[in-house]
Amino acid sequence: MLKSQTPAPNTRPPSHLFYLSSLRRPLVDRAEGIYIWTQDGRRFIDGSSGPMVANIGHSNRNVLDAMKRQMDRVTFAYRLHFENEPAEELARELAGKLPEGMDRIFFVSGGSEATESCIKLARQWAVATGQPRRWKVITRFPSYHGGTLGSLSITGDDALAETFAPMMQVMPTVPAPAAWRDRDNLSMEQRGIRYADMLEEKILAEGPESVLAFIMEPVGGAATSALVAPASYYPRIREICDRYGILLIHDEVMSGAGRTGKFLGGDHWNCKPDIIALSKGLGSGYAPLGALAAPMRLVQPLLASGGFQHGHTYAGNPLACAAGLAVLGEMDRLDLIANAADMGDILMAELKGLAKRFPFIADVRGKGLLLGAEMVADPDTLRPIAPAKKATQRLLDLAYERGLIIYGRKVKGGVDGDNFMVAPPMIVTREQIGEIVAIIADSLEVLAGELDLPVEG
């Protein structure tokens, strides 16, 4: 008789890092400004603000004091039972920084909740206004809009979505406007129009009466490494959405809250969306916080038909909103949006200088302190580096070994394409940028030698 086999005992202690098999990072001890220290005494420069979150830097005393004052009063009040002062004040302050009329604010706890709230608002608005056939949300490929099933359905990333495709309604896509890659005789203005017109083609192919919205990042996030479309793209997208009665949703989760040198990424082109998703820098890592912003013309039909059928336990949490209010106050007090613009220009120039020294950097792009660089094996043909070489991860590891944290992800649907992103907190100084760039240069030198990539003499 065979003995029943029992699993080998768990030889590892319990950990919240259940998904990591071998890679472990040092235990964090403290953080201040753009720096983070570990318990073993190492200092890191937070050159990516985490995942582009810590916009105002770490351990800002004014924000911490505001949170402490709120903690002494109340840390939780359910929105269906009470209103709370921090949420109301933050809504007023935030609306004052958004395009005119975007004054209905719904607070959430993160970016995925924010984008999912946007598409649920859009759908309920369509039903409430007698347009129930509208349900498709066109998105770009590649793109990233979150990890919940709803937000993942509008995320153009095969690596993240493939496993869950049977569980969700996958939405139609159009190509992200990677015009810098195109090898044709068109000007960048013409390319921008061409990419925008792909949206109209998709609308017509899907049936205009079935299309609800188009969602896009005005300045790309991790999925496209800070991709910026030609300037002609933005007004053309707005025109197309208006032509077919489609809502334009701007995902400003990463590009918003001042990071690009304007409060919103879309502000660079005066492109006004119908709905905005915000998170990350809005709370700057001090508390989980995000927001949906919309005009009353979209909200009123929902109110008349029974209200917004959506919500989260921590929506409008008073402690999170107190943190967000203090974060916005520090942005104004320290003039951080202007600093993001100024330091972003310096950082952009330095990264372009690295691209001349390391020609396998084929493109440097972005706005303000949301910058990215794409790496290829052949700068003439744009042939990608072989995925087996894991160039992005190796560069990130080299920088980490030298005390710098930068960010990177595959830029072709999460499967192919190598890049790195540099997005330090908006308090960064010229001298600190010099330190960041020096470490990147040293890391690129080692990477080039290991992978036999071209370097200028």
Side-chain angles (χ1 to χ4, degrees), residues 39 55 64 88 121 145 147 202 226 228 241 253 304 310 318 327 346 349 355 368 372 396 413 417 432 445-447:
Q39 291 186 6
N55 281 17
L64 296 177
E88 291 303 301
L121 170 64
H145 299 292
K202 179 62 69 171
V228 176
C241 288
V253 167
H310 178 61
V327 165
I346 294 170
L396 268 56
Q432 290 168 336
E445 188 81 49
V446 175
L447 182 73

Side-chain angles (χ1 to χ4, degrees), residues 140-144 152 155-165 168 170 173 223 409-410 412-416:
R140 304 195 304 199
F141 189 93
S143 64
Y144 181 78
L152 195 58
T155 288
D157 189 310
D158 290 340
L160 291 175
E162 184 178 8
T163 299
F164 306 103
M168 64 189 186
V170 179
T173 65
R409 198 173 190 283
K410 301 295 186 180
K412 294 182 179 180
V415 177
D416 198 0

Side-chain angles (χ1 to χ4, degrees), residues 70 73-74 82-92 316 318 321-322 325:
Q70 186 59 44
R73 296 178 62 190
V74 59
F82 301 98
E83 295 182 15
N84 72 78
E85 188 175 6
E88 291 303 301
E89 290 185 8
L90 179 56
R92 286 192 293 270
C321 289
L325 187 62

Side-chain angles (χ1 to χ4, degrees), residues 17-230:
L17 300 174
F18 70 95
Y19 51 88
L20 292 181
S21 58
S22 58
L23 177 65
R24 298 300 297 266
R25 293 300 195 187
L27 286 167
V28 68
D29 181 53
R30 62 187 179 91
E32 183 177 351
I34 72 164
Y35 302 105
I36 299 175
W37 287 265
T38 59
Q39 291 186 6
D40 60 4
R42 295 184 64 189
R43 190 200 75 171
F44 291 84
I45 299 173
D46 192 359
S48 63
S49 304
M52 281 60 83
V53 172
N55 281 17
I56 70 163
H58 299 278
S59 301
N60 180 288
R61 178 45 55 187
N62 288 336
V63 176
L64 296 177
D65 287 346
M67 294 177 71
K68 177 61 166 60
R69 289 193 297 270
Q70 186 59 44
M71 289 173 70
D72 289 338
R73 296 178 62 190
V74 59
T75 58
F76 177 77
Y78 188 43
R79 65 187 180 89
L80 297 184
H81 297 163
F82 301 98
E83 295 182 15
N84 72 78
E85 188 175 6
E88 291 303 301
E89 290 185 8
L90 179 56
R92 286 192 293 270
E93 185 70 20
L94 181 57
K97 299 179 181 298
L98 299 177
E100 185 178 358
M102 304 293 286
D103 57 2
R104 302 296 98 181
I105 312 296
F106 184 84
F107 290 117
V108 296
S109 297
S112 297
E113 287 185 12
T115 56
E116 186 150 328
S117 298
C118 289
I119 61 176
K120 291 181 79 173
L121 170 64
R123 171 59 181 168
Q124 290 179 61
W125 166 82
V127 173
T129 55
Q131 305 175 77
R133 295 178 64 189
R134 291 190 184 270
W135 61 271
K136 297 174 183 175
V137 179
I138 299 175
T139 187
R140 304 195 304 199
F141 189 93
S143 64
Y144 181 78
H145 299 292
T148 62
L149 288 180
S151 59
L152 195 58
S153 73
I154 52 172
T155 288
D157 189 310
D158 290 340
L160 291 175
E162 184 178 8
T163 299
F164 306 103
M167 303 173 67
M168 64 189 186
Q169 180 67 59
V170 179
M171 295 294 180
T173 65
V174 294
W180 72 275
R181 287 181 164 276
D182 296 341
R183 297 296 183 263
D184 52 36
N185 294 321
L186 299 179
S187 66
M188 290 301 284
E189 180 181 6
Q190 291 170 324
R191 290 176 186 171
I193 296 296
R194 184 184 66 184
Y195 276 99
D197 285 348
M198 292 177 186
L199 173 61
E200 184 169 31
E201 294 167 6
K202 179 62 69 171
I203 292 169
L204 294 173
E206 295 290 331
E209 71 286 346
S210 71
V211 179
L212 172 64
F214 175 59
I215 187 168
M216 57 173 271
E217 298 165 291
V219 179
T224 56
S225 190
L227 180 68
V228 176

Side-chain angles (χ1 to χ4, degrees), residues 235-298:
R236 184 66 157 229
I237 288 290
R238 180 70 269 181
E239 292 171 9
I240 292 169
C241 288
D242 289 342
R243 186 177 306 147
Y244 294 98
I246 291 166
L247 299 178
L248 175 58
I249 302 172
H250 275 185
D251 179 348
E252 296 270 10
V253 167
M254 192 174 287
S255 58
R259 173 153 292 282
T260 67
K262 300 279 188 181
F263 189 75
L264 297 177
D267 291 346
H268 289 279
W269 301 275
N270 295 316
C271 184
K272 182 179 178 180
D274 298 295
I275 309 174
I276 299 170
L278 286 160
S279 189
K280 291 190 181 286
L282 182 61
S284 285
Y286 289 85
L289 181 64
L292 169 161
M296 192 62 181
R297 65 179 174 83
L298 297 184

Side-chain angles (χ1 to χ4, degrees), residues 426-450:
M426 294 159 57
I427 59 171
V428 72
T429 65
R430 181 187 293 264
E431 292 73 24
Q432 290 168 336
I433 286 176
E435 189 176 1
I436 289 169
V437 172
I439 295 175
I440 294 173
D442 187 37
S443 302
L444 288 168
E445 188 81 49
V446 175
L447 182 73
E450 291 180 349

